[in-house]
Amino acid sequence: MPMQNVRTTPIEGQKPGTSGLRKKTGVFRRPHFLENYVQSIFDGIGGIDGKTLVIGGDGRFFNDAAIQIILRMACANSAAKCIVGQGGLLSTPAASHLIRLREADGGLILSASHNPGGPDADFGLKYNGPNGGPASEAVTDKIFERTKTLALYKIAAAEDIDLEQLGTHRLENMTIEIVDPVSDYADLMQTIVDFPKIRALFAGGFTMCFDAMHAVTGPYAHAILEDMLGAPQGTVINGQPSSDFGKGHPDPNPIWAKTLMDKMYGPAAPDFGAASDGDGDRNMIVGRGAYVTPSDSLALLTAHAHLAPGYADGLLGVARSMPTSRAVDRVAESLGIACYETPTGWKFFGNLLDAGKVTLCGEESAGTGSDHVREKDGLWAVLLWLNILAETGKSVSELMADLWSDHGRCYYSRLDYEDVETDRATAMMDGLRAKLDGLVGTEIAGLQVEAADEFAYLDPVDGSRSTGQGLRIVFGHGGRAVFRLSGTGTQGATIRIYLEQLQTEAERLNDAPETALASVREAALAVSDLVGMTGRDAPDVIT
Ligand code: G1P
Ligand code: ZN
């Protein structure tokens, strides 16, 4: 079979962002675009000669075709073996687990996460290392550097592999093993949460709705929730993965998971609702009439994780991304465990997890995870919640009320301004950055500024330093506003403003979040002059 060395030239704009390379699907399908990037990954990690890779994606448009190209390139680059999810499917956490379980040298995950899919929507590709986690900044830098000098890529001229056919295939000297995407992951879940206990919960009439949002967790949720845990058929909705996610936006938040929200706030609401995103690493938790913010979910799981068999010995520590609310800090303090603050993006948790410094970690953007894999894990979070609900016998709203009365409530919201002209967004951030030093001690919209800085992170494990990780302004009485530019957008700039306000007074724990956050929001808009600088008078998405 001929191996081809195809001459190419560097393609601009192949810099990986917060989570791999994300572009419009049409960009990924341009001549050489995918091939250049894949070869840069292979070269950037020092070659794949004799190595084993895990490959799978979230099933979005171009998933299969891209996998066929990657397999032919892996073959031509002398990989020993590729382990591929059947039908090209692997949720991101399942891929992370498979890399670890099979002691593979790494993996390629095809996904643009919660971004829509389709020929005119988004596509993405991410390299995860041998620990199962997203490549570190050092590795992504090497990959990016390689994209700038690439002169050829290697590809085998071969027929497509049948990705539906379980078992072993051969492509020249390379083995391709097609595996069931669900079974190893389901086995892992049984070692962490108490399946019999959750089965008994469902047997007792507990009701749930899991919205898979036409994305990759459908097969996982059908198998685990309905087949293994005995939840009634119909518990999982939108459970068939589709290449354009049913024309939806597979982002589990109150805006995009509106069907689920309406159900949970309606007259016949089930006891528990949950959703996950395109590639299955994010989760949304909602009780009957009770939406749980991701920051609060992390705090709740931290407080009760010991009720699940996997965490019966307690937690080593916890970590959250900087913009995530400080609710988990308060729980960690009461448990006497460390709480780390990292930059946005899962890659920063890897070292802490590998070094045994933390057991749980999470982000405000609906990501929660633990040391069982090196990615956030949507279904795992849902199962841990179910385990806690089963053990405590309390409802979601009772659990939240207890959490807030014990630790205070961190009201939280994120405002997203999407597709802002890049120059204007950068100018706004530059303007605010320049002001930071002078803000401390002043009053903005009636709030006293206690601290203001640009977040930088010194990794306590490898000593690496990441700068420019978001502007933060801390107000008196537990208020905070954080400003960042998104690193996952595919068009223009997305400005994110993260608002937080702590409340400890018992009679104020059930305020409307908009009311509780009104002052911090006013201060954030005033100090940044966002409206004047960007011409936007309202955010596109509020979560
Ligand atoms: C967003 C989220 C971040 C998450 C990332 C990948 O990144 O904010 O928490 O890790 O997606 O899922 P951003 O677009 O803000 O850079
Ligand atoms: Zn995702």
Side-chain angles (χ1 to χ4, degrees):
M1 184 183 312
M3 298 292 172
Q4 297 173 345
N5 284 345
V6 180
R7 292 160 73 82
T8 186
T9 48
I11 298 176
E12 270 194 38
Q14 296 203 325
K15 186 173 171 54
T18 312
S19 187
L21 186 65
R22 284 198 199 158
K23 295 283 170 193
K24 290 285 166 209
T25 312
V27 173
F28 258 103
R29 294 171 78 201
R30 283 184 193 151
H32 308 309
F33 190 93
L34 174 68
E35 292 86 345
N36 267 26
Y37 190 61
V38 171
Q39 188 66 52
S40 298
I41 294 175
F42 293 165
D43 294 352
I45 60 172
I48 56 162
D49 196 344
K51 290 188 176 171
T52 296
L53 297 174
V54 167
I55 300 172
D58 62 12
R60 68 180 59 224
F61 181 83
F62 194 47
N63 192 62
D64 310 17
I67 289 179
Q68 299 290 354
I69 292 171
I70 293 170
L71 289 174
R72 290 204 291 273
M73 290 186 64
C75 172
N77 280 275
S78 310
K81 183 172 186 174
C82 288
I83 303 170
V84 187
Q86 187 180 25
L89 293 183
L90 277 178
S91 77
T92 290
S96 179
H97 176 52
L98 207 50
I99 294 170
R100 298 164 66 77
L101 181 71
R102 299 298 201 85
E103 296 179 358
D105 298 291
L108 293 175
I109 303 177
L110 299 88
S111 171
S113 188
H114 50 289
N115 295 10
D120 301 319
D122 294 348
F123 193 79
L125 178 62
K126 177 166 85 160
Y127 167 73
N128 280 27
N131 74 345
S136 65
E137 291 218 304
V139 173
T140 42
D141 284 349
K142 281 194 187 139
I143 294 171
F144 178 49
E145 286 310 312
R146 187 63 184 139
T147 67
K148 296 194 255 176
T149 58
L150 198 76
L152 71 83
Y153 62 81
K154 298 181 185 175
I155 188 160
E159 295 290 304
D160 279 359
I161 296 290
D162 181 358
L163 299 177
E164 295 298 334
Q165 193 65 45
L166 289 174
T168 302
H169 307 243
R170 281 206 76 81
L171 193 58
E172 284 290 290
N173 292 326
M174 185 176 87
T175 306
I176 297 174
E177 185 185 344
I178 309 284
V179 298
D180 179 290
V182 178
S183 58
D184 290 323
Y185 177 82
D187 289 349
L188 175 68
M189 290 302 113
Q190 294 191 69
T191 67
I192 301 173
V193 296
D194 191 338
F195 272 43
K197 194 100 203 178
I198 302 174
R199 208 175 293 129
L201 180 73
F202 283 121
F206 181 89
T207 53
M208 171 177 183
C209 178
F210 181 90
D211 189 347
M213 304 189 87
H214 305 278
V216 78
T217 44
Y220 294 83
H222 279 304
I224 294 175
L225 296 173
E226 294 176 349
D227 301 346
M228 299 172 79
L229 293 170
Q233 299 292 319
T235 295
V236 177
I237 61 169
N238 302 320
Q240 177 68 36
S242 89
S243 65
D244 63 356
F245 307 115
K247 304 220 177 311
H249 203 127
D251 193 356
N253 63 43
I255 311 291
W256 297 114
K258 189 168 180 310
T259 320
L260 177 65
M261 286 298 280
D262 289 348
K263 205 174 175 119
M264 296 308 298
Y265 280 78
D271 295 304
F272 186 53
S276 63
D277 73 330
D279 60 329
D281 58 356
R282 295 185 176 205
N283 72 91
M284 179 177 99
I285 300 294
V286 53
R288 184 178 288 141
Y291 168 70
V292 181
T293 68
S295 296
D296 269 352
S297 178
L298 176 62
L300 191 287
L301 295 181
T302 300
H304 296 285
H306 63 277
L307 298 176
Y311 311 105
D313 295 338
L315 307 177
L316 298 167
V318 289
R320 63 164 170 84
S321 65
M322 183 275 281
T324 303
S325 97
R326 294 165 292 177
V328 68
D329 303 36
R330 301 172 74 80
V331 176
E333 194 180 346
S334 75
L335 293 173
I337 57 174
C339 179
Y340 295 84
E341 185 177 41
T342 59
T344 296
W346 211 260
K347 57 179 172 251
F348 295 99
F349 294 133
N351 279 350
L352 298 172
L353 292 164
D354 285 349
K357 290 186 178 295
V358 306
T359 309
L360 294 195
C361 43
E363 295 193 277
E364 55 66 41
S365 53
T368 340
S370 91
D371 57 2
H372 67 289
V373 288
R374 292 296 180 274
E375 286 280 3
K376 53 197 177 220
D377 188 344
L379 203 46
W380 161 87
V382 173
L383 293 170
L384 185 52
W385 261 94
L386 283 169
N387 198 148
I388 292 166
L389 290 164
E391 278 292 341
T392 59
K394 291 185 178 169
S395 68
V396 172
S397 33
E398 286 166 343
L399 285 170
M400 294 319 297
D402 290 352
L403 182 83
W404 297 333
S405 87
D406 290 349
H407 303 282
R409 177 172 180 182
C410 290
Y411 287 97
Y412 192 84
S413 183
R414 186 176 99 184
L415 316 180
D416 290 339
Y417 298 80
E418 296 175 347
D419 199 5
V420 176
E421 287 158 64
T422 307
D423 291 352
R424 296 181 85 170
T426 312
M428 189 213 86
M429 292 293 283
D430 290 347
L432 184 57
R433 186 180 296 109
K435 271 196 222 169
L436 288 178
D437 283 347
L439 290 179
V440 181
T442 65
E443 203 181 273
I444 308 167
L447 299 180
Q448 199 71 25
V449 178
E450 282 186 350
D453 67 0
E454 178 159 39
F455 182 57
Y457 178 63
L458 180 65
D459 187 306
V461 179
D462 66 13
S464 62
R465 196 173 156 77
S466 304
T467 55
Q469 298 294 333
L471 308 178
R472 53 183 182 178
I473 303 174
V474 178
F475 302 105
H477 306 290
R480 188 178 71 151
V482 172
F483 299 77
R484 274 185 72 243
L485 295 184
S486 158
T488 58
T490 54
Q491 202 162 318
T494 294
I495 300 172
R496 305 201 194 284
I497 304 185
Y498 309 79
L499 306 172
E500 178 183 349
Q501 179 63 58
L502 172 69
Q503 181 54 260
T504 52
E505 288 172 34
E507 61 283 3
R508 302 281 309 275
L509 295 178
N510 289 300
D511 287 355
E514 306 80 69
T515 314
L517 292 164
S519 304
V520 188
R521 179 175 175 154
E522 195 187 327
L525 293 176
V527 73
S528 60
D529 187 23
L530 180 126
V531 179
M533 296 295 284
T534 65
R536 296 293 186 86
D537 52 12
D540 298 281
V541 181
I542 303 179
T543 51

